Amino acid sequence: MAIASFSDLKAAMAHASRLMIEPNWTANSGNGSNVKFGVPTANPYGVPAGAGQTYSKASSGAWPFNDPPSGGSSWMLANLHQLISRNSIIQDGFWMLTDRLWACGGFSAISTSLNTITPQTFLPRGTGEGVICCAEVTTTIGATPQNVTVSYTNQAGTSGRTGTIAFDASAGASTWAPMQFQAGDYGVNSIESFQLGGSTGTAGAYGLVLARPLFHFPGTSSNRDRVFEALQTCLVKIDKNAALTWVNQINGNSSAPHGYGMLVE
Amino acid sequence: MAITTSDGLVAAMAASTRKGITFYRLTQTSKGAGLVHSLFLASGFPGPGATPSTGAGDNPLRTTAGSLVITNPSGGNKLYLASFSAQASTVGGLRLYDRLWQNSGLSGTTLTSQTINSTAWTRGDLTGDGVELWGEVYSAFGSTAQTLTVTYTNQAGTGSRSATYASPSAPVAGQMFPLTLQSGDTGVRSVQSAIWGASTGTAGNFGLVLLRPIAEISMGITSVGNLKDVFQVGMQEISADACLALQVFCSTTSTGFISGMVHTIEG
């Protein structure tokens, strides 16, 4: 039944499905810059295949949640509860719930070779509008800051667009360094190639990730919780096949959040 | 269906027309605490905007580079702001606005009247009431403090009104500055010309912007930010074709890395 009133919402919440939010994450030291995103602890999805792979709820590491019983294609997020349980360090930051769509990985941060994505992989869910691109570090890279130049196809299907990603010195595992888009673009359909401008000094390992941000919200501090109700989540839609990922705008160290979401349809 | 009840609000959020618009902007070098910096030309997501046309300027729309791209409402529906969240790696405040008109190419050393005669903008039934007049620096003009006087037509259509701005020393590129309207005026329809009282010492390149404020949010704790729901943002209407842009109320000489999200609903 479509949700068209508070009564409908209340009825749907009575039959909500629980979205459990990773209770076992441990602290991440953050990337130290305060200007990048980061995924708490090691990326639960592991190192992506070199030439790239798409992700879904069936992917290893994805958060489990039920399919909508109606057979529908998506849920709505009616409530989000976040609890930070780590002691002694003030852990806050700004959080982003995303759907991980595609990623490639395992590339050396001392190589300046052009990395071409073949075959070109298209998004598994939705259009490219609103999809962001980040460099994802899976093993700490070197201390020399470098840029990655990315060639991509934008939300309108125009290929050969150019984006730039700035790596901080010694960006650590789990860092997501966001791509600066070419003027006029507001999404990505696919990645064509990417190239590091120079060696960072240490090979490490990195790749690119395409993700759809779903909900941005402020965090809280140690041993405190925060709840976002339906009018705050705006009943954002979550595809039934979404590969959900937390992303944190890190304030100092990251933390071990856990909690739950309430999915309604 | 028009949103006239709380139930209608829930239905609009649950509808497929609800849209989330993500943004992030790299840190900018700003003038300092208490001053305002534009994010329209800043790199990030969506891609950056471009320096506006000179003279009469141009009218940015929803898909103009630099805009947070909305989807226009369908049929006779209206578009509303349903939530606004943002954080910054530097403490500050963030304002979401509709950029109606803009120009560039004004000089900080020209002492004669600089003709503008702004191109006409269109946003539904908005006629100028509540429209603010700002300056935006694209290349720093001089460090000698002077007064800029802008001749404009007010919200009622009365021409030859005067707005002023007393420039501080050494502005920086990206800085925005509000002009004080003539007594009794509550908005601006168009801009005719600008003139300095004396030279600032360096020509630079600056322009004027007509904008309609939509929402503001504080980012009072580093990298934590804030979220305002539909009632806290006043369910502000967003005009069809609106060019949504951001400006920062700075606490220091950098804006910090800023990210966040805007949700829109229609009905």
Side-chain angles (χ1 to χ4, degrees), chain A residues 6 94 129 179 185 234 237, chain B residues 7 14 18-19 24 223-224:
Chain A
F6 271 104
F94 191 69
E129 182 175 345
M179 185 177 83
D185 290 352
C234 287
K237 286 188 171 47
Chain B
D7 286 344
R18 182 209 52 80
K19 181 177 182 180
Y24 54 78
S223 298
V224 175

Side-chain angles (χ1 to χ4, degrees), chain B residues 96-112:
Chain B
L96 178 71
Y97 68 89
D98 180 6
R99 196 171 170 103
L100 305 168
W101 171 84
Q102 58 184 3
N103 84 336
S104 70
L106 299 178
S107 166
T109 56
T110 300
L111 300 183
T112 55

